[in-house]
Amino acid sequence: MVSASAPGKAILLGEHAVVYGQPAIAVPVNQVRATARVVPERRGSGLTVDARDIGRRVPFDAASPDDPLGAAVRHTLAHLNRPAPDVTIVVSSTIPIASGLGSGAAVSTAIVRALARFLGVELDPAAVSRLVYEVEKLHHGTPSGIDNTVIAYEQPVYFVRDRLLETFHPGAPFRLLVADSGAPSHTREVVAAVRAGWQADPQHFEHLFTQVGQRVEAARAALDAGDVPALGPLMDQNHALLVQMGVSSPPLERLVEAARRAGAAGAKLSGAGRGGNIIALVDAHSAAPVQAALLAAGARQVLHTLGGV
Ligand code: PMV
């Protein structure tokens, strides 16, 4: 039996603006992962994807072209120029769905890697990322590509759509809490809402995107220099710009406020928004009180993650 796994991810800064050509920074969240196991079956039984967590069993032949589980298999086989082997790919994931933690891209990454490995090929992160991007198009419509990139590389990435992809090592580790509002975040819909806003008032939205880009560049410089405290205010400013784009929500605001009041150095929504997660920058002392405040403010789950180690 062969298996592979992939982490969740959080966008540190730059979501939405990244769709319009601004830079963004994302980090892997290793505490939650998707796993795919390839179990050989008897001859002639075909390929089935068995996603038990979500109660879905997808026979590959019958997989509609729009089914992301089937699409991950299809793109991998086409890339390797191989027929479907007789196997069951058992998929499981601890990454909350529709929460901005990249569960779709992580599941696809685990399937692509495990299936290629079963067929005797170790794909490099660039190849995995390209294949997963094809699947992401089904989830998102017009994905920037940041999710598949950070998850396939499993390192912090500085990313400019269609132009630049840099993995980098921050000069000092930084501690994040990732708090789930419990409300779903439907990336495709929120991205479409931002697009409608941009079409209605391009000047205003372009200005917001440019300001986000400036915060991302400042954050990258701070991370390179190991100046973690400088990151906090930049996260707060990025959040304020996301509020102006209309992608926050009352539960997300409650969490962001609670984190700041309890001593977080900065806090913002992360991912498409309107639901999903917020991230808060903490240190060894503030982590526990901020976590308690987030849970008291309604967070369904709080993950701790260390970036830049
Ligand atoms: O998958 P999410 O919810 O983390 O959102 C992706 C980030 C966006 O910038 C909103 C969209 C994109 O394609 O980059």
Side-chain angles (χ1 to χ4, degrees), residues 139-195:
H139 286 290
H140 283 203
T142 55
S144 65
I146 192 164
D147 280 23
N148 47 287
T149 303
V150 65
I151 290 169
Y153 283 82
E154 299 199 36
Q155 281 178 41
V157 298
Y158 177 85
F159 177 91
V160 182
R161 180 176 196 167
D162 300 331
R163 280 206 300 140
L164 182 69
L165 154 63
E166 267 174 25
T167 56
F168 69 101
H169 293 284
F174 55 94
R175 201 180 285 263
L176 291 178
L177 299 185
V178 183
D180 190 349
S181 68
S185 171
H186 298 295
T187 304
R188 188 191 266 270
E189 285 162 28
V190 190
V191 168
V194 172
R195 183 161 299 272

Side-chain angles (χ1 to χ4, degrees), residues 84-161:
D86 295 318
V87 295
T88 299
I89 304 179
V90 181
V91 177
S92 57
S93 173
T94 56
I95 307 171
I97 293 173
S99 72
L101 288 183
S103 87
V107 164
S108 301
T109 300
I111 291 176
V112 167
R113 277 223 177 94
L115 179 57
R117 193 169 284 168
F118 179 83
L119 295 170
V121 180
E122 280 299 320
L123 292 173
D124 65 20
V128 172
S129 181
R130 268 198 307 276
L131 293 169
V132 174
Y133 182 73
E134 292 304 315
V135 185
E136 284 289 282
K137 285 187 192 165
L138 298 172
H139 286 290
H140 283 203
T142 55
S144 65
I146 192 164
D147 280 23
N148 47 287
T149 303
V150 65
I151 290 169
Y153 283 82
E154 299 199 36
Q155 281 178 41
V157 298
Y158 177 85
F159 177 91
V160 182
R161 180 176 196 167

Side-chain angles (χ1 to χ4, degrees), residues 174-177 228-232 235 263-267 279-283 286:
F174 55 94
R175 201 180 285 263
L176 291 178
L177 299 185
V228 173
L231 202 56
M235 289 168 63
I279 53 175
L281 183 68
V282 295
D283 58 24
S286 61

Side-chain angles (χ1 to χ4, degrees), residues 7-287:
K9 72 99 206 350
I11 297 184
L12 200 54
L13 297 104
E15 51 275 269
H16 289 293
V18 69
V19 175
Y20 299 83
Q22 296 294 334
I25 296 173
V27 294
V29 176
N30 288 305
Q31 288 70 9
V32 283
R33 296 190 78 88
T35 305
R37 284 186 296 127
V38 184
V39 183
E41 299 288 357
R42 65 186 158 66
R43 233 182 135 89
S45 54
L47 189 155
T48 302
V49 182
D50 182 358
R52 287 174 193 173
D53 300 357
I54 52 170
R56 294 199 57 219
R57 248 183 98 82
V58 182
F60 175 60
D61 280 343
S64 82
D66 286 347
D67 187 287
L69 296 173
V73 171
R74 184 159 48 81
H75 287 294
T76 307
L77 294 175
H79 177 71
L80 299 175
N81 197 17
R82 299 283 287 272
D86 295 318
V87 295
T88 299
I89 304 179
V90 181
V91 177
S92 57
S93 173
T94 56
I95 307 171
I97 293 173
S99 72
L101 288 183
S103 87
V107 164
S108 301
T109 300
I111 291 176
V112 167
R113 277 223 177 94
L115 179 57
R117 193 169 284 168
F118 179 83
L119 295 170
V121 180
E122 280 299 320
L123 292 173
D124 65 20
V128 172
S129 181
R130 268 198 307 276
L131 293 169
V132 174
Y133 182 73
E134 292 304 315
V135 185
E136 284 289 282
K137 285 187 192 165
L138 298 172
H139 286 290
H140 283 203
T142 55
S144 65
I146 192 164
D147 280 23
N148 47 287
T149 303
V150 65
I151 290 169
Y153 283 82
E154 299 199 36
Q155 281 178 41
V157 298
Y158 177 85
F159 177 91
V160 182
R161 180 176 196 167
D162 300 331
R163 280 206 300 140
L164 182 69
L165 154 63
E166 267 174 25
T167 56
F168 69 101
H169 293 284
F174 55 94
R175 201 180 285 263
L176 291 178
L177 299 185
V178 183
D180 190 349
S181 68
S185 171
H186 298 295
T187 304
R188 188 191 266 270
E189 285 162 28
V190 190
V191 168
V194 172
R195 183 161 299 272
W198 173 70
Q199 280 161 345
D201 192 348
Q203 227 178 342
H204 176 56
F205 273 75
E206 293 287 351
H207 185 56
L208 295 175
F209 299 150
T210 308
Q211 288 178 281
V212 170
Q214 287 162 355
R215 270 52 179 201
V216 175
E217 271 156 27
R220 172 70 200 274
L223 285 171
D224 283 342
D227 184 2
V228 173
L231 202 56
L234 295 168
M235 289 168 63
D236 289 342
Q237 292 161 21
N238 191 166
H239 181 74
L241 293 162
L242 288 161
V243 169
Q244 290 185 61
M245 288 177 211
V247 301
S248 193
S249 66
L252 292 173
E253 288 306 304
R254 270 197 294 281
L255 294 180
V256 164
E257 279 305 312
R260 288 179 188 154
R261 267 202 308 274
K268 64 182 278 294
L269 71 86
S270 176
R274 298 229 172 133
N277 282 275
I278 69 114
I279 53 175
L281 183 68
V282 295
D283 58 24
H285 302 291
S286 61

